[in-house]
């Protein structure tokens, strides 16, 4: 029994023959994974019923259920993401799928514009609704840990990550990012954008990085190039 907002909800509890390894509410529907039994199931008028094509997942661990661009997508821990259309299961052809297979999907969240994939081995992967990778966030780019066990979006649209070691918060709509360089460029004094470069003034000289971050992977170190003619402290531009 659960009392919420002065209403009483009653759930009937039954002991299943197999293991329910996953429970997820999406778009007003409650999905469950009956491992070793009927596979992907859902709650329909108080009854647990199989999803068409759901038996494909009977021997797979499910960690994500979503609808993207009108297609039901099922994310598994070891085999990536599958699409289910009219009971037909196919491997999702998105670019992120191979990354999820390699790094082991474990958690998932979504907004109207993005999908957030938490992995066991390489932190968080952010994609658009078609599965194209937008950015990565892992230990190299500031996370405390590369294993993302849970994801939650709060009322202010901040993304919370439950990690194997600690909790991190990501301000999704922040215009700022942490950029780590592969070389120590010293303490920063100021910066300026000119033409196609961002110039960085530091106590060790003048450096520049590309101004376009479209192809920049936040999980990797950024290459900062030093302008040799400007050595020592550079205070302003």
């Amino acid at each position: 029994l659960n009392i919420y907002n002065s209403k009483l909800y009653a759930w009937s509890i039954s002991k299943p023959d197999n293991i329910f390894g996953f429970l997820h509410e999406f778009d007003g529907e409650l999905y469950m994974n009956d491992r070793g039994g009927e596979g992907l199931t859902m709650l329909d008028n108080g009854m647990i019923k199989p999803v068409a094509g759901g038996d494909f997942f009977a021997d797979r661990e499910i960690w994500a259920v979503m609808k993207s661009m009108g297609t039901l997508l099922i994310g598994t821990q070891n085999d990536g993401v599958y699409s289910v259309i009219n009971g037909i299961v196919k491997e999702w052809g998105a670019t992120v799928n191979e990354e999820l297979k390699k790094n082991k999907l474990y958690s998932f969240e979504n907004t109207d514009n993005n999908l957030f994939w938490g992995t066991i081995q390489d932190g968080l992967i952010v994609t658009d609704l078609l599965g194209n990778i937008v950015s990565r966030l892992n230990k190299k780019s500031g996370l405390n840990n590369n294993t993302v066990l849970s994801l939650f979006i709060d009322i202010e649209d901040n993304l919370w990550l439950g990690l194997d070691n600690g909790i991190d918060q990501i301000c999704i709509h922040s215009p700022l990012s942490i950029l780590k360089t592969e070389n120590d460029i010293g303490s920063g004094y100021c910066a300026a954008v000119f033409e196609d470069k961002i110039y960085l003034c530091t106590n060790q000289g003048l450096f520049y990085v590309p101004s376009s971050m479209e192809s920049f992977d936040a999980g990797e170190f950024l290459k900062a190039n030093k302008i040799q003619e400007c050595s020592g402290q550079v205070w302003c531009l």
Side-chain angles (χ1 to χ4, degrees):
L1 297 179
N2 180 28
I3 299 175
Y4 182 70
N5 286 345
S6 301
K7 295 181 181 179
L8 182 65
Y9 297 87
W11 297 83
S12 61
I13 306 299
S14 61
K15 184 177 179 181
D17 296 329
N18 303 297
I19 299 173
F20 282 109
F22 174 86
L23 181 68
H24 185 72
E25 185 275 333
F26 185 83
D27 200 20
E29 297 176 332
L30 190 65
Y31 292 89
M32 293 153 283
N33 185 25
D34 182 13
R35 290 173 56 192
E38 295 181 302
L40 184 65
T41 62
M42 65 181 296
L43 191 67
D44 184 10
N45 292 324
M47 301 293 293
I48 297 176
K49 297 183 178 180
V51 173
D55 57 333
F56 176 84
F57 302 98
D59 59 349
R60 291 173 169 84
E61 283 197 52
I62 295 176
W63 289 108
V65 173
M66 78 223 72
K67 289 181 181 177
S68 180
M69 311 301 288
T71 300
L72 180 64
L73 300 177
I74 311 299
T76 66
Q77 184 178 51
N78 299 311
D79 302 318
V81 182
Y82 294 87
S83 65
V84 181
I85 303 176
N86 296 326
I88 299 175
V89 181
K90 293 183 178 180
E91 187 171 319
W92 196 31
T95 56
V96 72
N97 216 2
E98 292 303 317
E99 292 292 320
L100 296 177
K101 291 180 187 178
K102 180 175 68 175
N103 295 306
K104 309 297 181 183
L105 174 66
Y106 200 89
S107 55
F108 172 81
E109 257 294 1
N110 69 287
T111 62
D112 291 338
N113 300 312
N114 293 108
L115 306 176
F116 302 92
W117 311 87
T119 72
I120 292 178
Q121 298 180 0
D122 196 31
L124 181 73
I125 302 176
V126 184
T127 72
D128 60 18
L129 299 182
L130 296 175
N132 300 308
I133 297 176
V134 175
S135 62
R136 302 170 189 259
L137 294 169
N138 53 28
K139 196 167 183 179
K140 287 182 179 180
S141 57
L143 293 187
N144 284 323
N145 190 270
N146 275 339
T147 300
V148 183
L149 300 178
S150 60
L151 292 168
F152 175 75
I153 297 177
D154 66 23
I155 196 171
E156 296 180 346
D157 283 339
N158 297 310
L159 181 65
W160 293 83
L161 284 65
L163 307 175
D164 197 43
N165 180 22
I167 299 173
D168 282 356
Q169 181 197 50
I170 298 173
C171 299
I172 299 174
H173 301 296
S174 173
L176 305 177
S177 298
I178 296 176
L179 302 182
K180 290 190 173 183
T181 62
E182 63 180 8
N183 51 330
D184 184 8
I185 65 174
S187 299
Y189 295 142
C190 76
V193 177
F194 181 70
E195 294 181 346
D196 60 344
K197 297 180 177 64
I198 301 174
Y199 290 89
L200 308 170
C201 297
T202 82
N203 68 322
Q204 295 185 21
L206 181 62
F207 298 81
Y208 69 87
V209 297
S211 62
S212 174
M213 294 289 107
E214 292 180 0
S215 60
F216 172 61
D217 187 344
E220 300 297 330
F221 289 108
L222 187 65
K223 175 68 175 179
N225 302 280
K226 185 174 184 180
I227 297 178
Q228 298 299 329
E229 293 78 5
C230 294
S231 299
Q233 294 177 310
V234 179
W235 294 94
C236 62
L237 292 170

